[in-house]
Amino acid sequence: MLGLMRVEFHRARTARQPLCTLMVAIDDLDGIFERHYWQGKDAAMRASYDLLKSSCKGLGFFGMALMSGDRIMAVFPNTDPGRLSELGNAIVEAAHKVTLTLDGESVPITLSIGASHNLLAETNSSFEGLVEMSGRALFLATEGQGNRYVMWREAEAEIDGLRIELEERKKSFEREALVLEEEASEIGGLQQAQLVDKIQQLFAGVERTDAIQALEGQILDLAVKELFEERRKAVAAQMAEHRRQTDILEKRIAKLTSILGVTEEELKRVMAMKNIDAGVASIFRTVQGLSADDNQVETKKALMSEIFKQNLSLQKRNAPAAEAA
Amino acid sequence: MTKNSVVDTKKGEPNDSIAAQMSTNVEAAPNKDGGVLYLGIDLGTSRTSVASSNGQRVTISSHVGYPKDVVSKKLLKKDILFGDEAVEHRLSLKFYRPLAAGVMKHTSNEKTDDVEGNMKAAADLIREIIRLAKPRKDELVYAVIGVPAQAAIHHKDAIIKAARETVDSVMLCSEPFSVAYGLDMLDDVLVIDIGAGTTDLCRMHGTMPEENDQVTTTFAGDYVDNRLTELIKKKYPEAQFSIHMIKAIKERYGNISDTMPPVVVELPVNGKPTSFDITDEMRTACRSIVPSMVDGLSNLISSFDPEFQDRLKNRVLLAGGGSQIKGLDLAIEDEMRKRLGTGKVMRIEEPVYGGANGALKIAHDMPAEFWNELK
């Protein structure tokens, strides 16, 4: 199955199609295991797997899944990340309705889901990278108290979206500016012609003298200049508004990028501080001590006692010094 | 310091209120009802190993480094580096080998910077090796740490102090004893534990070894490294190398037999890699620890009950990282035959984990009341 998933990943990369992965974990699975042992864990895993299957069927998703250890991994070829969110949230919701009956006890389950898609540079290069990112998203989901769906790098994707939007807006503003100028010059030409006609009509009924003709010429020049100035101001105001919108978008991107950087740093710090690895359980539940069946039980008892005495005197010797410190 | 929990919350019970969670975080040490994790730790000059009852077994080289300045800290992205990573970046680090000469590296109680630094490095190393054993927060952690047979009392104090920060209860025992205990060979056995800093010889006779049952010499791995360095420098003065390179060469080619394959290594000469045949130097350097070892064996055997001396001679266990030198067991046997008439040396199966395995077995066999008493 893993091989098939890998093939689908490479196929999606070659065909430049979106592909998403889901990593599903049951919240407090360790608790279920401790209370109901393997049977409980197995039943919970199977119920989650069935839930994933039924949700996919219900929402028309086509993909492949495998259950490994305490996680379920699924790959959905040709699936848009936006659409996958629909599935992820639906599974989280559906899990609320699932109640397992284990050892006569009703056990509700909640799920944490991490997802990633191949549309980011960091997830597009290898299948392992894609899976790792969905694992990190799952970690974010579980660390956020579980019972949630998290898509890896949604914030970055949002910033990318904003960048694209900004570029499109810049282009559209440039186009609009050209159109405005053209319109302005066309309208200006028309308005200019109308204004000239009206002024000339005013002077039509007046006796033409040199002085009047000169005055008509001056009035026409002045009117055209004023008209041109008004038109220039209107276009400049519109362009200023466009620039303001561009500035706002750029500032928003800068701020979001900076917040993302800080968040990533903080996340790294928290991940380093927290012991992410929950550890590996000991095979012993209680202190063992020497077995009575041991061939050298008496010798060993004496040796244990001697080691203990030596350590006791050593540590008692330290105790007053530590208290004094 | 992790002790038993003071919080009485039932596991798995939903507790969603923020106030409840906050009060838990403030007051709680983790609820340790998840089991008992035993750790056996072999704290060595060259390598520190841990074997634990959750199946984890890890060994790291006993080196600790702290970034020298802000630039190196930014570059390395870590506050402390351990093991081979520390060795690799040692030029950018304040570099420590805290357990040189088999014990914590300071000779007096004066609080010089180096002493303080080494003590801190040792404590950090112990914390790291315990962390690598992946203990769970809900488990009681009981550790037995093997220390050199003749470690000074203040070294033992420092080890206990460092370990108690991360485990619930800790005990120390002598390294060669833990090796023998791990193999269930408690009666009439001689253990040779060849470390980097010291070689410990220990006579087991069914009771806890006393001071006169143990001999410690400094003819160990570091001695071989230094001897090999001298010999190579003498024969090939133009060759350039560091003690770390020599150690790596010894670990790869260490051999003592007369029919050993040629050891040809590449060392730089004025920056150009050049091949050198160091077969004889390797043999001589590795062989140099044998006489002192047999001296120690001879002392321990001759002072033993005459009736059991032969049995002791034929039950010599060879352990520790240094025991991986090929042909060493046969060379000791030869020397024993010459000086003591007879001798049989057995190499233990896992030289690197022999001490840790034994310490783990001691931890397992220790009764609960003893652990509780030392909490």
Side-chain angles (χ1 to χ4, degrees), chain B residues 154-292:
Chain B
H154 55 274
H155 301 143
K156 290 181 179 172
D157 289 350
I159 292 168
I160 287 176
K161 196 177 158 202
R164 285 188 71 92
E165 288 174 21
T166 25
V167 303
D168 294 276
S169 194
V170 59
M171 294 194 200
L172 305 185
C173 76
S174 103
E175 271 167 16
F177 170 78
S178 66
V179 170
Y181 193 90
L183 298 170
D184 261 348
M185 295 178 85
L186 304 175
D187 227 359
D188 304 334
V189 179
L190 264 166
V191 182
I192 307 175
D193 183 11
I194 309 170
T198 58
T199 294
D200 292 324
L201 293 99
C202 178
R203 183 171 63 193
M204 298 287 299
H205 45 86
T207 60
M208 200 64 191
E210 290 167 6
E211 206 174 328
N212 58 3
D213 291 318
Q214 304 185 64
V215 174
T216 298
T217 73
T218 51
F219 290 91
D222 287 349
Y223 177 82
V224 174
D225 296 344
N226 291 330
R227 186 92 182 94
L228 186 56
T229 304
E230 278 170 25
L231 293 168
I232 297 176
K233 266 188 188 162
K234 196 173 168 190
K235 190 169 177 187
Y236 305 112
E238 71 280 19
Q240 296 170 311
F241 49 84
S242 69
I243 194 76
H244 297 285
M245 290 161 77
I246 292 295
K247 186 170 182 254
I249 291 169
K250 178 200 72 180
E251 285 177 359
R252 184 164 178 198
Y253 299 106
N255 202 324
I256 218 165
S257 69
D258 293 328
T259 54
M260 67 188 277
V263 180
V264 180
V265 293
E266 279 202 343
L267 298 170
V269 176
N270 297 324
K272 186 186 169 194
T274 312
S275 295
F276 295 99
D277 185 337
I278 57 163
T279 314
D280 292 336
E281 287 69 30
M282 180 66 78
R283 186 186 299 113
T284 310
C286 291
R287 204 182 275 275
S288 64
I289 56 173
V290 176
S292 67

